């Protein structure tokens, strides 16, 4: 199988498939909510069908994993910010960058 989505003509590849499967398991199956093709469509909502969307929240303590998390995470973010940006953009952002910029603008 090529992994191509017939409707959209895109592929998430094997990593995207695995990540999407974990989201379905954690948010849908584990929570007792609907999952995958059983979720009500947001594009053509059937008003008689309950959305029944599940959520999953996870809290991790990075200190119980491999050492040096803070330094390794900083390196990860710095290397991503240093990537060549897409044409017409100011640069590559990591999670929280827009919020930090907004806070700085308010100071």
């Amino acid at each position: 199988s090529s992994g191509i989505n017939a409707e959209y003509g895109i592929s998430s590849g094997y990593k995207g498939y695995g990540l999407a499967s974990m989201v379905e398991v954690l948010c849908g199956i584990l929570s007792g909510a609907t999952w995958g093709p059983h979720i009500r469509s947001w594009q053509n909502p059937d008003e008689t069908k309950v959305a029944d969307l599940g959520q999953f929240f996870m809290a991790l303590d990075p200190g119980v994993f491999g050492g040096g998390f803070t330094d390794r995470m900083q390196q990860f973010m710095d290397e991503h910010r240093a990537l060549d940006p897409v044409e017409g953009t100011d640069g590559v952002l990591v999670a929280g960058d827009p919020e930090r910029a907004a806070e700085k603008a308010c100071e």
Side-chain angles (χ1 to χ4, degrees), residues 25 50 79 81 88 92:
V25 169
V50 175
E79 289 183 11
R81 289 181 181 120
V92 176

Side-chain angles (χ1 to χ4, degrees), residues 47-72:
E47 299 299 331
T48 64
K49 187 175 181 183
V50 175
D52 190 26
L53 301 177
Q55 297 182 14
F56 176 80
F57 300 91
M58 181 184 328
L60 298 174
D61 177 0
V64 301
F65 296 94
F69 172 79
T70 301
D71 292 336
R72 291 166 46 84

